[in-house]
Amino acid sequence: MRLLAWLVGLAFFIAPTAWAAKPVDGLDAVVESLRAEGSLPAMAVVIVKDDKVVVARGYGDRTNADTLFGIASLTKAFTATGLAMLVDRGTLGFDDALSTALPGFKVADPYVTAHATVRDALAHRTGVASADLLWYGHRDSTVSALLGAAGALPQVASLRERFEYNNLMYLFAGELLARRSGMPWEEFVAAEIFRPLGMTRTSTDLRKMPELPNVATPYIRTAAGVVPVPHASHQNTAAAGAIYSSANDLGRWLRFLLNGGELDGKRLLRRESLDPTMTPQMLIGHTGPADELLFPGANFIAYGMGWFISDYQGRKMLSHTGGTDGMAAFISLLPRERLGVAILTNVEGDMARAVIRNWLFDRYLGAKGTDWRAAYSRWLEPTRTHAAEMAKAQRDARDVNSRPHLALAAYAGRYTSDLFGTVEVRLGPNQQLEWRLAELPFSALAAWQQDSFRIEWPTIGMNEPVYSLLTFQLGGDGKPARVVVSGPMLDADVPFDANAR
């Protein structure tokens, strides 16, 4: 059956077609062929055209149009829309200074602290370091506490110089929404967006996901294949990526967006207040090897507020990817065509979602058949081999015969970063080193080479090769003076200085 699905799907990918009256004919075969090649356990697809849901469908065992998937950064458009509602009510301006709109906002650069606006934060153009390790390590801290720690956030670019994707800015945007509305972010989006739009299955509480019925199981790719992982539980990142939703619910969200802020005759905000979120605010250059799938043939790529904005076959296109532990989502709109799609899957980082979007848009627009299956294969194979190559390079560079310079107990202590908090190292009951960052639980440190130890993160997917390392740097007295955390999930090495002993 899988071979048949592949052959039928391939025919639909490459056959020249007049696209006639039913552009979605063959969708099932396309999805199933991609699921087979990408080892994707489950997917869901919703298509909206001219204010009607054309398709809302689940694929895979026990998956339907009501199955919940993590939509991760697709959440950002909900946060931006919530702030647009406050703009619509006259209680906020997109060009209000963040330090005024959100008392307590401060970064390391005084100029950016004083001049960065709400628009800058939502458009990822503050130039402030992304520092995801801050919220990851402080998963039990409130956003207010993280706001205080942000005073040490350094600049990686000048204000409005270039696009720098930053989840922390959306955490702070959620806090701004809460303070100005008088409701926590979770309550605001539920009361002001989900319920009025009839998104009855959509949830923001990551902690409840394992208890809810009909929720997709998260998976990640590993050297051993696709394996299940626990649901993410970083609730303090809610405004940047906590929403779980379904194909049916996202169909209502798509209709609302394509109608400029209105659904079934009920307007939640004026089109003039929503439009700035869907208008280019910051130009973006090449984003990476997935561009062929995410922005095929684009003449420009920009970011609005919660949306990537580019062109597709000469039409304005809005889109956004979402990725979290074991989940991958994608949403895309062609506003003038009143066409929108959302694709949900439960394997982190997979790009089959973009291929489905491209295939559908081509058929609706009558574009010549592009072999999107081949494009997916071109993306998938290097993705699988690149990690293995990097892991081999890391292993080959390792001196397996080296030994730590000190007795293990001598590495124990507390190491501090003004931004990220404290790393604590101790000798565990089994006489092996253990470590923890800020509020994370203690986990193992395995000897790697000399004074470097392999980190065991609480998040399973972060422990795949290439490994993260914690390296002790010794001072002139021969004692550890600093530890440096490095790894593929970090933008740069993160130093922590030893506390006075």
Side-chain angles (χ1 to χ4, degrees):
M1 290 299 293
R2 278 193 170 188
L3 177 60
L4 177 60
W6 189 92
L7 291 172
V8 173
L10 182 62
F12 275 107
F13 273 119
I14 62 176
T17 310
W19 305 147
K22 294 185 177 180
V24 298
D25 283 354
L27 173 64
D28 291 354
V30 168
V31 173
E32 292 297 354
S33 67
L34 290 169
R35 285 208 314 121
E37 182 175 6
S39 301
L40 307 175
M43 296 188 80
V45 177
V46 59
I47 306 165
V48 167
K49 178 73 169 97
D50 297 329
D51 200 32
K52 294 181 180 178
V53 175
V54 178
V55 167
R57 198 171 296 163
Y59 300 87
D61 292 342
R62 299 180 301 280
T63 305
N64 55 45
D66 285 321
T67 301
L68 291 176
F69 292 78
I71 69 170
S73 285
L74 273 59
T75 300
K76 290 179 171 68
F78 287 85
T79 299
T81 299
L83 289 172
M85 290 177 170
L86 299 188
V87 172
D88 197 60
R89 298 166 190 176
T91 60
L92 182 71
F94 283 129
D95 294 312
D96 289 352
L98 267 175
S99 56
T100 301
L102 184 61
F105 173 79
K106 182 182 179 182
V107 293
D109 188 317
Y111 181 86
V112 176
T113 297
H115 292 91
T117 66
V118 176
R119 189 188 304 268
D120 293 326
L122 296 177
H124 298 297
R125 63 184 197 185
T126 62
V128 174
S130 59
D132 283 339
L133 196 63
L134 176 60
W135 58 259
Y136 179 80
H138 294 80
R139 61 184 181 182
D140 296 324
S141 292
T142 64
V143 178
S144 292
L146 294 176
L147 187 64
L153 281 170
Q155 293 295 120
V156 293
S158 299
L159 179 64
R160 304 179 195 125
E161 176 190 357
R162 68 173 189 247
F163 178 79
E164 290 289 339
Y165 195 84
N166 194 323
N167 285 307
L168 282 169
M169 292 300 135
Y170 271 80
L171 271 62
F172 301 153
E175 181 69 8
L176 170 58
L177 183 62
R179 293 188 190 180
R180 285 298 178 94
S181 69
M183 290 186 282
W185 175 87
E186 292 87 346
E187 291 183 17
F188 183 95
V189 295
E192 302 288 343
I193 301 178
F194 299 162
R195 283 199 286 274
L197 296 184
M199 299 176 68
T200 57
R201 287 275 293 155
T202 302
S203 175
T204 62
D205 195 339
L206 295 168
R207 294 162 295 197
K208 292 182 178 179
M209 285 306 116
E211 306 166 12
L212 294 178
N214 199 8
V215 180
T217 299
Y219 288 82
I220 61 168
R221 293 193 193 282
T222 72
V226 175
V227 299
V229 295
H231 289 278
S233 59
H234 303 288
Q235 195 62 37
N236 60 14
T237 64
I243 292 176
Y244 267 60
S245 194
S246 66
N248 274 335
D249 276 9
L250 288 177
R252 301 188 68 79
W253 175 239
L254 284 166
R255 290 176 57 211
F256 164 79
L257 294 168
L258 291 167
N259 285 332
E262 179 181 336
L263 181 65
D264 294 334
K266 184 174 183 178
R267 180 162 290 282
L268 301 190
L269 75 168
R270 291 175 301 155
R271 182 185 294 271
E272 293 80 6
S273 299
L274 182 62
D275 276 353
T277 68
M278 301 178 171
T279 301
Q281 306 291 334
M282 191 70 198
L283 288 174
I284 305 172
H286 178 70
T287 64
D291 276 8
E292 180 186 3
L293 300 179
L294 294 174
F295 309 108
N299 294 292
F300 76 97
I301 307 170
Y303 201 84
M305 291 184 270
W307 293 100
F308 287 92
I309 303 167
S310 58
D311 60 308
Y312 191 97
Q313 300 288 347
R315 282 83 166 176
K316 176 184 176 181
M317 179 174 71
L318 303 172
S319 64
H320 214 293
T321 55
T324 187
D325 301 338
M327 295 285 175
F330 193 42
I331 190 169
S332 197
L333 297 81
L334 296 179
R336 289 190 177 180
E337 281 66 34
R338 304 188 71 199
L339 172 65
V341 302
I343 301 105
L344 308 172
T345 187
N346 59 342
V347 174
E348 183 175 348
D350 192 85
M351 281 294 119
R353 47 194 163 145
V355 169
I356 295 168
R357 185 274 313 267
N358 297 344
W359 182 85
L360 283 166
F361 278 9
D362 278 2
R363 290 176 68 84
Y364 271 101
L365 297 175
K368 292 182 179 179
T370 299
D371 190 349
W372 290 115
R373 173 58 177 269
Y376 179 62
S377 299
R378 286 195 299 270
W379 171 84
L380 188 61
E381 187 57 32
T383 299
R384 288 170 165 166
T385 60
H386 181 61
E389 291 169 355
M390 290 180 63
K392 182 178 184 302
Q394 188 183 46
R395 290 194 304 269
D396 290 347
R398 179 187 181 190
D399 183 356
V400 295
N401 296 316
S402 67
R403 295 291 181 269
H405 287 104
L406 305 176
L408 293 183
Y411 295 105
R414 294 171 64 87
Y415 305 81
T416 304
S417 160
D418 289 341
L419 177 58
F420 297 105
T422 300
V423 161
E424 187 174 353
V425 179
R426 72 182 185 187
L427 196 62
N430 60 355
Q431 298 303 299
Q432 295 295 312
L433 286 181
E434 298 176 339
W435 87 300
R436 72 173 174 187
L437 168 66
E439 297 162 1
L440 299 179
F442 275 101
S443 56
L445 285 175
W448 184 256
Q449 65 175 5
Q450 296 180 343
D451 300 315
S452 293
F453 295 79
R454 180 167 64 83
I455 290 171
E456 187 78 19
W457 294 101
T459 302
I460 296 173
M462 292 167 58
N463 295 318
E464 283 294 302
V466 175
Y467 299 122
S468 298
L469 300 177
L470 186 149
T471 300
F472 295 88
Q473 296 180 350
L474 306 185
D477 59 0
K479 298 178 180 179
R482 170 181 286 187
V483 297
V484 176
V485 178
S486 60
M489 60 84 63
L490 303 172
D491 294 331
D493 292 352
V494 179
F496 297 77
D497 293 324
N499 292 1
R501 296 179 183 239

